[in-house]
Amino acid sequence: EIERQKARVQSHVPVNLYLKEDAPPVACILGDFSDVSLRLAVAPGQTMPPLKSNDKVVVVINLGDAASTYRIKGSVFRASADACVIKLKQLYKDGDFSAIKTMDVLEIKTGLLNLRL
């Protein structure tokens, strides 16, 4: 459980979870976001699709405008019928996916905190 000890920003932002490039997204709620992972709960009325550990997924977080839309590539760390934890791997930036850096994480956390103000 080492991963979950990082400082987490609690959230209730709607996000889209993509399991395959050509499949429609699953509507989820971002429960919390940390330096290494994020937790998703399914949106009301939805069910979490079957996910396995290490499944590759993309989470799209939209914090209000194009400049604050984040496409994050990750892998499933843990999944249940109504929630999952995704390990952060890469962030889509400047036309390509690259490793998530501390500054990216801070930017997303700040965006999430600002939404609550």
Side-chain angles (χ1 to χ4, degrees), residues 23-116:
V26 179
C28 293
I29 303 293
L30 179 61
D32 63 51
F33 186 91
S34 81
D35 299 38
V36 294
S37 65
L38 54 83
R39 185 170 52 85
L40 299 177
V42 285
Q46 300 268 320
T47 46
M48 191 62 79
L51 295 169
K52 296 187 302 300
S53 215
N54 295 320
D55 278 358
K56 304 283 179 273
V57 297
V58 172
V59 178
V60 177
I61 305 172
N62 183 333
L63 300 181
D65 57 43
S68 49
T69 296
Y70 303 95
R71 284 166 62 191
I72 298 169
K73 236 181 215 176
S75 63
V76 175
F77 176 64
R78 191 170 44 235
S80 66
D82 58 358
C84 64
V85 175
I86 308 292
K87 278 201 281 202
L88 310 178
K89 299 283 190 200
Q90 295 179 304
L91 179 66
Y92 189 82
K93 214 172 186 177
D94 305 322
D96 209 359
F97 278 100
S98 57
I100 286 196
K101 298 178 183 60
T102 305
M103 286 309 296
D104 299 323
V105 168
L106 286 173
E107 187 181 307
I108 295 169
K109 282 184 176 181
T110 301
L112 290 168
L113 289 169
N114 286 341
L115 276 184
R116 301 195 319 206

Side-chain angles (χ1 to χ4, degrees), residues 9-31:
V9 173
Q10 301 295 319
S11 156
H12 200 76
V13 178
V15 299
N16 282 323
L17 172 65
Y18 292 87
L19 308 179
K20 293 188 175 64
E21 301 224 357
D22 51 359
V26 179
C28 293
I29 303 293
L30 179 61

